[in-house]
Amino acid sequence: MPNTLVLFTLLLLWFSPVSAAPIAIVIHGGAGTILKQNMTPEIESAYRQALTESVQQGYAVLKQGGTSREAVIAAIRFMEDSPLFNAGKGAVLTHEGRVEMDASIMEGKDLNAGAVASTTRTRNPIALADAILEHSPHVMLVGSGAEEFAKQQKLAQEDNSYFQTDRRRKALERAIARERGAVLSEDADDPVELVKDKKGTVGAVALDNAGNIAAGTSTGGMTNKRYGRVGDSPIIGAGTYADNSACGISATGHGEYFIRAVVAYDICARVKYQNLSLQAAADAVVQERLVDMGADGGIVGLDPAGNVIYSFNSAGMYRASVNTNGDLHVGIYKQD
Amino acid sequence: MPNTLVLFTLLLLWFSPVSAAPIAIVIHGGAGTILKQNMTPEIESAYRQALTESVQQGYAVLKQGGTSREAVIAAIRFMEDSPLFNAGKGAVLTHEGRVEMDASIMEGKDLNAGAVASTTRTRNPIALADAILEHSPHVMLVGSGAEEFAKQQKLAQEDNSYFQTDRRRKALERAIARERGAVLSEDADDPVELVKDKKGTVGAVALDNAGNIAAGTSTGGMTNKRYGRVGDSPIIGAGTYADNSACGISATGHGEYFIRAVVAYDICARVKYQNLSLQAAADAVVQERLVDMGADGGIVGLDPAGNVIYSFNSAGMYRASVNTNGDLHVGIYKQD
């Protein structure tokens, strides 16, 4: 009898659509004026390696049967923990010289979402957004109230200095000097300091073997930001959206424009209401609408079949994906 | 020669589309379980009068050639200053017994927008959202940073106690008692305490004689809210959206669902991409999509021709409008 049960289970696994269901993941680490001539081979290689590790960590979750939400969190945590990206450790500094971070996550199966703005102590803001999705009746928490919730949820807390790096401090000093009228050569700017373009963000979108899409985004915002400024990353519909019937999107760009154009949801709406492919919908928003508004940046996304797409109107976008065939792609420049 | 100039100017004015251009305004003061049997004639009359005054103040701005943004602000300021509505003075109390307010405003001509979350001292949060639109490169400011900006802009500041009313304190006490397991008769609830339904908000949408649409929303959020919770009111795309080519919308409802469904922008997207009338688009979102999600609330809006619309799936919505013919309408219940 136990043998029959084992046989039955094996047969069930064999014929289960789960094993054949497509899985895929796509990530970004920010978009902006990323030009090969400004790069050193060492920096470029460091980014390519970090993007590869991030997307592979997310893909491993999917491969092991994990959910798209878990995969998105794994990929984003990696980039938050890396000082290379403007999220978590290595986030840019506010005018006052500290770090204030925003993040959001959304599930396409039921449109559940969690978002946090202006968190200053939670080690992984994406984990806090996820805890809000899972353990709070609310979608969005901000500031000290969000920190209190994070502590109750026993999420790892850090002193604000943990997030701060010399590279970002130098960028802040230069931004403040420019603001005060100093004329500084761009040659001396950090070659990969996207944040002068206001576009440093990380994000991920995944499709799991249950057919569920999840999307997430995390950021430190803009260098030298003031007054509790919040960009598009924690705004559901602007920086992040997921809907199993149409799309998953994570955006990175000049947040103010992305909020006004409701970028992530507008792409999904064009898929739903105009029957466009996700690539065509994304290009219409990123290459036309945003360009008309004078806004640059980009998005990564995938559709319910697991087709991975990128669209950006800036010189480059840090990005990587593993598609439904298991093929890895890593890119920085347009031609990548 | 001067006479010719005068004649020319008169002719220009005569044939100018401006003088004949339609103007209209529509407002709401929240939606929820508003039933006639729970009302006293005095309370009902107080609401009808306040709605009338609010919409007439906004309409007077339009009539005098003011902009739709100025009209929206005038109407919302009136409701913020009135203790009857959950915005400004009379806003609901957080778990800690204080007031934290959110607001947003958007212009349809250029998609400019301003939004504030968790402000605790600015007398008129809609004026702060407007100052962010006008005087800041950002769209959204939150918490103490937003207060600092408000002070720099010399906006009227109040001690938090200014906003607090006995009625809202009683509602908070009852909410906390219920949370702790007390069984309280609904009969003793405030008859017009919408906030137990999580839907207290005020908003306005206007069309001016230059053909520009503006929309704004302001709220104290939910009674007994915690952890810096932010609802849909300050989220561009969720609580507020304006686009001269399609629509102006201000929403009021269970904010978490309104964020997840990107309510205001979804209505505009259906107009733009499905060629629906604004009423049909709003009904599709409010009477179908939100009902499917289990979310109640409603919206007010107007289209580029100045057609005023309401759509709500709750028992009632405080609302008023002056249409392009100058006709005043004030409503509370479905049949109004």
Side-chain angles (χ1 to χ4, degrees):
Chain A
M1 195 62 172
N3 279 345
T4 321
L5 196 65
V6 168
L7 187 66
F8 179 76
T9 309
L10 283 172
L11 278 169
L12 202 69
L13 281 173
W14 187 259
F15 288 107
S16 157
V18 169
S19 57
I23 57 174
I25 183 166
V26 58
I27 67 167
H28 68 79
T33 317
I34 317 170
L35 296 169
K36 201 168 177 77
Q37 64 260 34
N38 296 335
M39 278 283 193
T40 66
E42 293 72 29
I43 294 176
E44 183 174 324
S45 153
Y47 273 96
R48 286 189 188 273
Q49 196 181 328
L51 290 165
T52 305
E53 284 189 45
S54 164
V55 81
Q56 281 178 336
Q57 291 209 0
Y59 188 69
V61 170
L62 297 172
K63 198 77 184 164
Q64 289 152 23
T67 67
S68 51
R69 210 170 108 205
E70 291 163 341
V72 161
I73 292 167
I76 291 180
R77 278 184 96 106
F78 181 87
M79 290 187 280
E80 285 179 340
D81 292 342
S82 160
L84 290 174
F85 303 99
N86 175 20
K89 187 176 186 66
V92 301
L93 304 185
T94 66
H95 185 69
E96 293 76 21
R98 53 186 225 141
V99 162
E100 291 178 9
M101 298 164 291
D102 310 323
S104 65
I105 190 162
M106 184 163 190
E107 284 206 293
K109 72 175 171 201
D110 52 13
L111 308 184
N112 263 338
V116 59
S118 285
T119 178
T120 59
R121 303 186 68 92
T122 300
R123 184 184 181 107
N124 289 103
I126 194 67
L128 176 47
D130 191 64
I132 293 166
L133 185 160
E134 188 67 37
H135 301 293
S136 153
H138 303 314
V139 167
M140 187 174 201
L141 305 182
V142 305
S144 57
E147 307 285 5
E148 195 190 325
F149 181 77
K151 270 178 237 160
Q152 279 193 11
Q153 293 293 316
K154 308 212 186 314
L155 298 177
Q157 303 290 298
E158 300 287 349
D159 189 83
N160 199 264
S161 61
Y162 159 82
F163 303 101
Q164 302 172 17
T165 58
D166 285 345
R167 174 184 169 196
R168 301 305 190 186
R169 187 159 302 283
K170 209 172 289 170
L172 174 62
E173 282 162 10
R174 294 177 67 82
I176 290 176
R178 279 202 173 98
E179 199 173 64
R180 292 180 180 156
V183 181
L184 305 178
S185 158
E186 287 199 10
D187 294 348
D189 282 338
D190 188 323
V192 285
E193 174 58 70
L194 296 180
V195 188
K196 68 177 173 189
D197 303 318
K198 306 175 181 171
K199 291 165 215 65
T201 311
V202 307
V205 187
L207 173 72
D208 62 28
N209 65 18
N212 290 320
I213 298 173
T217 311
S218 180
T219 190
M222 290 166 54
T223 295
N224 198 24
K225 68 183 178 181
R226 265 172 260 207
Y227 309 122
R229 178 262 185 185
V230 171
D232 63 314
S233 302
I235 306 295
I236 298 300
T240 301
Y241 207 76
D243 178 344
N244 278 1
S245 75
C247 68
I249 297 286
S250 172
T252 177
H254 191 152
E256 278 69 18
Y257 291 97
F258 279 56
I259 293 174
R260 290 161 52 194
V262 200
V263 165
Y265 186 70
D266 192 33
I267 295 170
C268 297
R270 286 168 193 248
V271 170
K272 288 195 292 180
Y273 305 140
Q274 296 187 311
N275 286 315
L276 295 180
S277 71
L278 188 60
Q279 184 74 59
D283 288 346
V285 173
V286 175
Q287 317 289 347
E288 293 171 34
R289 189 159 187 232
L290 286 174
V291 169
D292 287 347
M293 292 174 81
D296 50 351
I299 63 96
V300 298
L302 50 74
D303 69 16
N307 296 304
V308 161
I309 66 141
Y310 309 111
S311 189
F312 57 100
N313 61 34
S314 46
M317 179 165 76
Y318 295 116
R319 60 201 189 275
S321 61
V322 181
N323 69 13
T324 52
N325 296 325
D327 302 329
L328 170 73
H329 171 258
V330 181
I332 297 179
Y333 315 111
K334 274 231 165 92
Q335 63 278 15
D336 272 333
Chain B
M1 195 60 171
N3 277 345
T4 320
L5 196 67
V6 168
L7 188 68
F8 179 76
T9 309
L10 283 172
L11 278 168
L12 202 71
L13 281 172
W14 185 260
F15 288 108
S16 154
V18 169
S19 57
I23 57 173
I25 183 166
V26 57
I27 66 167
H28 69 79
T33 317
I34 317 171
L35 297 169
K36 201 167 177 77
Q37 64 261 33
N38 297 335
M39 280 281 193
T40 66
E42 293 72 29
I43 295 176
E44 184 175 325
S45 153
Y47 273 96
R48 287 188 188 273
Q49 195 182 328
L51 290 164
T52 305
E53 284 189 44
S54 164
V55 81
Q56 281 178 335
Q57 292 208 359
Y59 188 69
V61 170
L62 298 172
K63 197 78 183 164
Q64 289 151 24
T67 68
S68 51
R69 210 170 106 205
E70 291 164 340
V72 161
I73 292 167
I76 292 180
R77 277 184 98 106
F78 181 88
M79 290 187 280
E80 285 179 341
D81 292 341
S82 159
L84 290 173
F85 303 100
N86 176 20
K89 187 177 185 66
V92 301
L93 303 184
T94 67
H95 186 69
E96 293 76 21
R98 56 185 223 142
V99 162
E100 290 178 9
M101 298 165 291
D102 310 324
S104 65
I105 189 162
M106 183 163 191
E107 284 206 293
K109 71 174 171 203
D110 52 13
L111 307 184
N112 263 337
V116 59
S118 286
T119 179
T120 58
R121 303 186 67 92
T122 300
R123 185 183 180 108
N124 289 104
I126 194 68
L128 177 47
D130 190 64
I132 293 166
L133 184 160
E134 188 66 38
H135 301 293
S136 153
H138 303 313
V139 168
M140 188 174 198
L141 305 182
V142 305
S144 56
E147 307 285 4
E148 196 190 324
F149 181 77
K151 270 177 236 160
Q152 278 194 11
Q153 292 293 316
K154 309 214 185 311
L155 297 177
Q157 303 289 299
E158 300 287 348
D159 189 84
N160 199 263
S161 61
Y162 160 82
F163 303 101
Q164 301 172 18
T165 58
D166 285 346
R167 173 182 168 199
R168 302 305 190 185
R169 188 159 302 283
K170 208 173 288 171
L172 174 63
E173 282 162 10
R174 294 176 68 82
I176 291 177
R178 278 201 175 99
E179 199 174 65
R180 291 180 179 153
V183 181
L184 305 179
S185 159
E186 288 197 12
D187 295 346
D189 282 337
D190 188 324
V192 286
E193 174 58 72
L194 296 180
V195 189
K196 69 178 174 192
D197 305 317
K198 306 175 182 173
K199 288 165 217 67
T201 311
V202 307
V205 186
L207 172 72
D208 62 29
N209 65 17
N212 290 320
I213 298 173
T217 311
S218 179
T219 190
M222 288 166 52
T223 295
N224 198 25
K225 69 182 178 182
R226 267 173 259 206
Y227 309 123
R229 177 261 185 187
V230 172
D232 63 315
S233 302
I235 307 294
I236 297 299
T240 301
Y241 207 75
D243 177 345
N244 279 2
S245 75
C247 67
I249 298 286
S250 171
T252 177
H254 191 152
E256 278 69 16
Y257 291 96
F258 279 55
I259 293 175
R260 290 161 53 195
V262 201
V263 165
Y265 186 70
D266 192 33
I267 294 169
C268 297
R270 287 168 193 248
V271 170
K272 288 195 292 181
Y273 305 141
Q274 297 188 311
N275 286 315
L276 294 180
S277 71
L278 187 60
Q279 183 74 61
D283 288 346
V285 173
V286 175
Q287 317 290 347
E288 292 171 33
R289 190 160 185 231
L290 286 174
V291 169
D292 287 348
M293 292 175 82
D296 50 353
I299 63 96
V300 298
L302 49 75
D303 69 16
N307 295 304
V308 160
I309 66 142
Y310 309 110
S311 189
F312 57 100
N313 61 35
S314 46
M317 179 165 75
Y318 294 116
R319 61 199 189 277
S321 61
V322 181
N323 69 12
T324 53
N325 296 325
D327 302 329
L328 170 75
H329 171 258
V330 180
I332 297 179
Y333 315 111
K334 275 231 164 92
Q335 62 279 16
D336 272 332

Short mmCIF file of all heavy atoms in Angstrom, two decimals, chain A residues 116-120 128 141-148, chain B residues 118 142-143 227-228:
data_model
loop_
_atom_site.label_atom_id
_atom_site.label_comp_id
_atom_site.label_asym_id
_atom_site.label_seq_id
_atom_site.Cartn_x
_atom_site.Cartn_y
_atom_site.Cartn_z
N VAL A 116 6.65 50.80 1.64
CA VAL A 116 7.18 51.58 2.75
C VAL A 116 7.92 52.78 2.18
O VAL A 116 8.61 52.67 1.17
CB VAL A 116 8.09 50.72 3.64
CG1 VAL A 116 9.27 50.15 2.87
CG2 VAL A 116 8.60 51.52 4.84
N ALA A 117 7.77 53.93 2.84
CA ALA A 117 8.52 55.12 2.44
C ALA A 117 9.26 55.69 3.63
O ALA A 117 8.77 55.63 4.77
CB ALA A 117 7.58 56.18 1.86
N SER A 118 10.46 56.21 3.36
CA SER A 118 11.25 56.90 4.38
C SER A 118 11.60 56.03 5.57
O SER A 118 11.52 56.47 6.71
CB SER A 118 10.53 58.16 4.86
OG SER A 118 10.62 59.17 3.90
N THR A 119 12.02 54.79 5.31
CA THR A 119 12.53 53.97 6.40
C THR A 119 14.03 54.25 6.54
O THR A 119 14.73 54.46 5.54
CB THR A 119 12.24 52.47 6.19
OG1 THR A 119 12.81 51.75 7.28
CG2 THR A 119 12.83 51.95 4.89
N THR A 120 14.53 54.29 7.76
CA THR A 120 15.93 54.68 7.98
C THR A 120 16.75 53.63 8.72
O THR A 120 17.95 53.80 8.89
CB THR A 120 15.99 55.98 8.83
OG1 THR A 120 15.32 55.74 10.07
CG2 THR A 120 15.33 57.15 8.10
N LEU A 128 10.59 44.66 4.57
CA LEU A 128 9.57 45.42 5.30
C LEU A 128 8.32 45.59 4.43
O LEU A 128 7.19 45.40 4.91
CB LEU A 128 10.15 46.77 5.74
CG LEU A 128 9.21 47.75 6.44
CD1 LEU A 128 8.38 47.09 7.54
CD2 LEU A 128 10.00 48.93 7.01
N LEU A 141 2.99 52.13 4.63
CA LEU A 141 3.37 52.73 5.90
C LEU A 141 4.57 53.64 5.66
O LEU A 141 5.43 53.33 4.84
CB LEU A 141 3.75 51.65 6.92
CG LEU A 141 2.72 50.54 7.20
CD1 LEU A 141 3.25 49.58 8.27
CD2 LEU A 141 1.38 51.12 7.64
N VAL A 142 4.62 54.75 6.40
CA VAL A 142 5.74 55.68 6.19
C VAL A 142 6.41 56.06 7.51
O VAL A 142 5.80 56.02 8.58
CB VAL A 142 5.30 56.98 5.46
CG1 VAL A 142 4.60 56.65 4.14
CG2 VAL A 142 4.42 57.85 6.33
N GLY A 143 7.70 56.40 7.40
CA GLY A 143 8.45 57.02 8.48
C GLY A 143 8.57 56.20 9.74
O GLY A 143 8.71 54.97 9.70
N SER A 144 8.48 56.89 10.88
CA SER A 144 8.75 56.22 12.16
C SER A 144 7.69 55.16 12.46
O SER A 144 7.98 54.17 13.14
CB SER A 144 8.83 57.26 13.28
OG SER A 144 7.64 58.00 13.32
N GLY A 145 6.47 55.37 11.98
CA GLY A 145 5.44 54.36 12.16
C GLY A 145 5.83 53.05 11.48
O GLY A 145 5.64 51.96 12.03
N ALA A 146 6.41 53.17 10.30
CA ALA A 146 6.86 51.98 9.56
C ALA A 146 7.98 51.27 10.31
O ALA A 146 8.03 50.04 10.37
CB ALA A 146 7.32 52.39 8.16
N GLU A 147 8.88 52.06 10.92
CA GLU A 147 9.99 51.48 11.69
C GLU A 147 9.44 50.67 12.87
O GLU A 147 9.95 49.60 13.21
CB GLU A 147 10.89 52.56 12.29
CG GLU A 147 11.41 53.58 11.33
CD GLU A 147 12.54 53.05 10.46
OE1 GLU A 147 12.85 51.85 10.53
OE2 GLU A 147 13.07 53.85 9.68
N GLU A 148 8.42 51.25 13.51
CA GLU A 148 7.83 50.58 14.68
C GLU A 148 7.26 49.23 14.25
O GLU A 148 7.45 48.22 14.93
CB GLU A 148 6.72 51.50 15.22
CG GLU A 148 6.24 51.16 16.61
CD GLU A 148 4.98 51.96 16.94
OE1 GLU A 148 4.86 53.13 16.50
OE2 GLU A 148 4.10 51.38 17.61
N SER B 118 1.01 62.21 5.97
CA SER B 118 1.37 62.28 7.40
C SER B 118 1.80 63.66 7.85
O SER B 118 2.76 63.81 8.59
CB SER B 118 2.47 61.27 7.72
OG SER B 118 1.94 59.97 7.73
N VAL B 142 6.71 63.59 2.67
CA VAL B 142 6.02 62.94 3.80
C VAL B 142 6.61 63.40 5.14
O VAL B 142 7.77 63.79 5.23
CB VAL B 142 6.08 61.39 3.72
CG1 VAL B 142 5.54 60.89 2.39
CG2 VAL B 142 7.48 60.86 3.96
N GLY B 143 5.75 63.32 6.17
CA GLY B 143 6.18 63.48 7.55
C GLY B 143 6.83 64.80 7.90
O GLY B 143 6.43 65.86 7.40
N TYR B 227 1.14 53.09 12.74
CA TYR B 227 2.36 52.81 11.97
C TYR B 227 2.53 53.70 10.75
O TYR B 227 3.07 53.26 9.74
CB TYR B 227 2.37 51.33 11.52
CG TYR B 227 2.13 50.33 12.62
CD1 TYR B 227 1.09 49.42 12.52
CD2 TYR B 227 2.96 50.29 13.74
CE1 TYR B 227 0.88 48.48 13.53
CE2 TYR B 227 2.74 49.35 14.75
CZ TYR B 227 1.70 48.46 14.63
OH TYR B 227 1.48 47.54 15.62
N GLY B 228 2.04 54.93 10.82
CA GLY B 228 2.22 55.80 9.66
C GLY B 228 1.49 55.32 8.43
O GLY B 228 1.94 55.51 7.30
#
